[in-house]
Structure formats: structure tokens, C-alpha cells
Amino acid sequence: MLSNSAFHVLLNGKRELLASCFMLCSLIFTGCGGQTDDGPTRYKLEGTVSYDGKPVPKGEVSFRPDSQAGNKGPGGYAAIEQGKFQVDASKGVVGGPYIFTFTGFDGIPIPASDVGEPSQDGKPLFTEVEIKKDLPQGESTLDFEIPANKKK
């Protein structure tokens, strides 16, 4: 059986080991000095989305690099409000081939009922739509028209 002082030495040794492991893991995951390479340069992306000739009241646009076309850039998403979306450069695109995925709603809130969940976005206007675009390496303004044959 360990004496009381031997137990404290052992316990303190474990604390020091645990603290050392924590510090080592922190250095591994965050790096020793600040990160000097923040990845590829990203660019602001904005645009409009219309369906049946009218702005989409509410929805979401997500974008991902088209890896089959060789793009390895970052992806992201933005809310669509009154037919417009915007993504700041900090979360934007790098240029090259991208795949955009759209969802759109009528914007008329649906209250809770016995038959379904409430929805602040309203009823879907169309089924999910994917559109491919090749983007420049710079800020982009895009206009998307969702085909009317994609009705929900």
C-alpha cells in the first residue's frame, strides 16, 4: 500500500503528464505560431434566383466544388431572401467549376397543425434543383432562373 506522501507524488505526476499531453495536443491541432496560409483566396458571391419569372421569396442556395471537373475549392451556402443571396469573401468561392443546389419556398408561414410541422419558409415552390456553373477567380454576380418544369 502506498503511503500518503507517495500517493500525492504519484497523483501530482499524473497531473503533470495530463497537462503536458493537453499542451502537446493543443500545439498539434493549432500549430506553434499563427497559421500563415489561410487556404486559397476566396471571392464574394452574390446573385438572384427566380422561378416562373418571379424572385424566389425564401430558400437556400448551396454550392460545392465540382470535383469531377477538377475543382477542390471550398463549398458553402446562403439564404435566399426576396430572390437575392450573398456570400462574403470570407466564406465565398475560389473560382472554377461549381455545382449549385437550390431550394425555394413561397415565403408564407405555415402554422402548426395536426397534419404537419410549422414552416416559417412556407410551401415548397419546386423540387431541389442542381445547376453547374464555371466561376471566374474573382467576385461573381450570378442570375439563376429555376425551370418551371421543376414544380413541386
Side-chain angles (χ1 to χ4, degrees), residues 57-59 80-82 105-112 117-124:
K58 279 199 160 272
I80 300 169
E81 295 285 339
Q82 301 307 317
F105 301 90
D106 66 10
I108 302 168
I110 301 171
E117 294 291 317
S119 170
Q120 293 300 312
D121 295 334
K123 294 179 185 174

Side-chain angles (χ1 to χ4, degrees), residues 13-151:
K14 285 185 179 180
R15 284 185 191 151
E16 289 173 4
L17 179 62
L18 183 60
S20 296
C21 286
F22 179 75
M23 284 177 42
L24 180 61
C25 287
S26 295
L27 289 174
I28 289 171
F29 290 119
T30 61
C32 294
Q35 185 176 356
T36 57
D37 182 15
D38 292 327
T41 301
R42 292 182 178 212
Y43 303 99
K44 180 180 176 181
L45 176 66
E46 62 185 6
T48 63
V49 183
S50 57
Y51 172 72
D52 200 20
K54 299 175 193 142
V56 172
K58 279 199 160 272
E60 185 174 282
V61 55
S62 64
F63 51 91
R64 65 183 188 277
D66 188 345
S67 59
Q68 290 183 343
N71 191 349
K72 297 179 182 173
Y77 67 94
I80 300 169
E81 295 285 339
Q82 301 307 317
K84 297 180 181 181
F85 68 92
Q86 182 176 328
V87 182
D88 291 331
S90 65
K91 298 190 186 288
V93 295
V94 297
Y98 270 85
I99 300 171
F100 291 83
T101 305
F102 298 90
T103 56
F105 301 90
D106 66 10
I108 302 168
I110 301 171
S113 70
D114 294 336
V115 250
E117 294 291 317
S119 170
Q120 293 300 312
D121 295 334
K123 294 179 185 174
L125 294 173
F126 49 84
T127 58
E128 191 173 87
V129 175
E130 283 191 352
I131 298 175
K132 293 183 178 188
K133 287 266 189 189
D134 198 8
L135 303 179
Q137 289 188 334
E139 290 187 6
S140 297
T141 300
L142 304 171
D143 297 314
F144 292 96
E145 174 66 35
I146 306 301
N149 64 350
K150 298 293 183 181
K151 193 166 187 142

